[in-house]
């Protein structure tokens, strides 16, 4: 854990009060981004999602200036050693509160930055693709929280705990209507007969920043990505499937459970379009 560093409300500490509502109730949101060369990748888009997610759970998001100031303070830590690369997770909670679910009338959001090392991925995930397993854990519908990255991620924890076979990189999450929602740690896209589709996230799931970047890229280039209800048979019959998040970028899915999935250079092309640097 020595490579992990924390900044809480602008102070280099490693803990928060047990009365913090993020700890007590998961009352907050978070985002995870890559740090390369001392710069947070896609920070404007990440901040935009922080503001939107905070608004949905009625928290006033701290200003971008304050968050960046505290991030720079974290960067300058470690006895003067600059933390120029890694993964940065930012969490915003409603702050401290009394016992009980009722949020305080006046709250002071807690701001947390966590820096950790870049994960080490096998080079093959970018050249030959990855395999996914089908999770037995299902996502419950809650339209009020759909799309946001809130701190209560127990469904994802249980789904990730299902992974026992090292052949699989991630899992496919469905809802109770058998609709595909996302991967445990990323978003899914499929291509079929020239049409690009992604699962609708109006009932559950997380709308990731890399997902938004892909949607924006296609929109800019005059192609609509259809957000719709997808099922496992759609993934299995697709011309290509990719999984995406802000840490590993975009990866080709070449297998789901024991079934081989058709593949091409779609993930490689998307990484090039989005200027994703493979580390």
């Amino acid at each position: 854990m020595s490579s992990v560093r924390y900044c809480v409300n602008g102070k280099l500490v490693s803990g928060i009060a047990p009365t913090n509502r993020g700890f007590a109730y998961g009352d907050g949101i978070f985002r995870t981004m890559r740090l390369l060369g001392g710069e947070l990748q896609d920070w404007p888009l990440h901040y935009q999602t922080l503001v939107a997610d905070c608004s949905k759970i009625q928290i006033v998001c701290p200003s971008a200036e304050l968050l960046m100031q505290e991030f720079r303070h974290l960067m300058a830590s470690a006895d003067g050693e600059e933390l120029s690369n890694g993964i940065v997770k930012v969490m915003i909670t409603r702050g401290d509160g009394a016992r009980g679910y009722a949020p305080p009338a006046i709250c002071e959001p807690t701001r947390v930055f966590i820096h950790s090392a870049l994960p080490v991925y096998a080079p093959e995930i970018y050249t030959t693709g990855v395999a996914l397993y089908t999770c037995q854990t299902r996502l419950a519908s809650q339209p009020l929280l759909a799309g946001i990255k809130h701190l209560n991620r127990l469904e994802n924890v249980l789904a990730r705990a299902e992974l026992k076979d090292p052949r699989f990189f991630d899992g496919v999450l469905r809802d109770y209507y058998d609709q595909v929602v996302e991967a445990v740690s990323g978003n899914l896209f499929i291509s079929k007969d020239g049409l690009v589709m992604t699962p609708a996230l109006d009932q559950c799931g997380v709308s990731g920043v890399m997902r938004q970047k892909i949607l924006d890229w296609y929109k800019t280039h005059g192609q609509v990505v259809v957000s719709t209800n997808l099922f496992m048979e759609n993934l299995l019959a697709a011309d290509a499937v990719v999984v995406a998040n802000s840490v590993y970028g975009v990866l080709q899915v070449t297998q789901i459970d024991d079934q081989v999935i058709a593949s091409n250079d779609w993930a490689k092309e998307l990484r090039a379009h989005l200027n994703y640097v493979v580390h």
Side-chain angles (χ1 to χ4, degrees):
M1 294 297 289
S2 59
S3 63
V4 180
R5 301 189 182 279
Y6 313 84
C7 181
V8 181
N9 293 334
K11 299 179 180 179
L12 301 177
V13 297
S14 60
I16 61 173
T19 53
N20 191 282
R21 293 180 61 88
F23 172 78
Y25 304 115
D27 189 0
I29 54 93
F30 74 101
R31 290 284 166 172
T32 305
M33 61 204 91
R34 292 205 307 170
L35 175 66
L36 294 179
E39 297 298 325
L40 291 174
Q41 302 296 287
D42 303 312
W43 168 246
L45 190 51
H46 278 286
Y47 182 70
Q48 179 182 324
T49 61
L50 287 171
V51 172
D53 288 0
C54 279
S55 178
K56 287 187 178 181
I57 60 173
Q58 301 174 34
I59 293 176
V60 177
C61 186
S63 70
E65 292 76 15
L66 176 60
L67 292 177
M68 188 53 61
Q69 176 184 337
E70 294 178 348
F71 162 69
R72 294 297 180 192
H73 184 43
L74 175 65
M75 284 277 293
S77 67
D79 298 324
E81 178 186 355
E82 187 173 336
L83 309 174
S84 59
N85 296 296
I87 300 298
V88 174
K89 180 176 181 178
V90 55
M91 295 185 287
I92 300 171
T93 83
R94 201 178 302 272
D96 290 348
R99 188 196 65 80
Y101 291 128
I106 299 176
C107 65
E108 296 183 13
T110 297
R111 309 167 305 278
V112 180
F113 280 95
I114 303 174
H115 175 279
S116 55
L118 285 168
V120 179
Y121 294 119
E124 291 77 18
I125 71 170
Y126 294 105
T127 56
T128 61
V130 297
L132 307 182
Y133 63 99
T134 302
C135 299
Q136 296 306 304
T137 303
R138 302 298 182 103
L139 294 176
S141 296
Q142 177 44 272
L144 291 176
L145 299 176
I148 77 173
K149 204 165 189 178
H150 55 77
L151 288 172
N152 191 332
R153 305 246 62 89
L154 284 177
E155 293 166 324
N156 300 70
V157 170
L158 293 175
R160 185 61 180 79
E162 295 180 29
L163 178 56
K164 308 296 183 185
D165 192 330
R167 293 179 303 160
F168 297 113
F169 181 80
D170 203 342
V172 178
L173 277 168
R174 298 165 292 167
D175 63 16
Y176 282 94
Y177 300 97
D178 287 333
Q179 295 173 144
V180 171
V181 180
E182 59 191 359
V184 177
S185 301
N187 291 115
L188 295 164
F189 290 82
I190 75 168
S191 174
K192 182 66 175 178
D193 298 328
L195 182 65
V196 177
M197 293 172 278
T198 191
L201 300 178
D202 57 336
Q203 297 296 311
C204 56
V206 173
S207 180
V209 162
M210 187 58 70
R211 177 182 188 268
Q212 189 59 52
K213 287 187 67 176
I214 293 172
L215 294 175
D216 290 346
W217 187 89
Y218 276 109
K219 182 178 180 180
T220 299
H221 290 80
Q223 183 173 344
V224 175
V225 177
V226 178
S227 179
T228 187
N229 297 331
L230 295 175
F231 298 86
M232 288 303 300
E233 52 262 37
N234 299 120
L235 270 64
L236 298 176
D239 296 329
V241 179
V242 297
V243 59
N245 77 12
S246 291
V247 176
Y248 54 69
V250 186
L251 303 176
Q252 199 86 30
V253 177
T254 56
Q255 181 179 331
I256 297 179
D257 297 324
D258 292 324
Q259 181 162 334
V260 174
I261 304 298
S263 62
N264 47 32
D265 291 327
W266 190 21
K268 181 179 179 180
E269 292 167 358
L270 282 174
R271 291 196 298 270
H273 294 324
L274 302 173
N275 298 315
Y276 179 89
V277 178
V278 176
H279 59 270

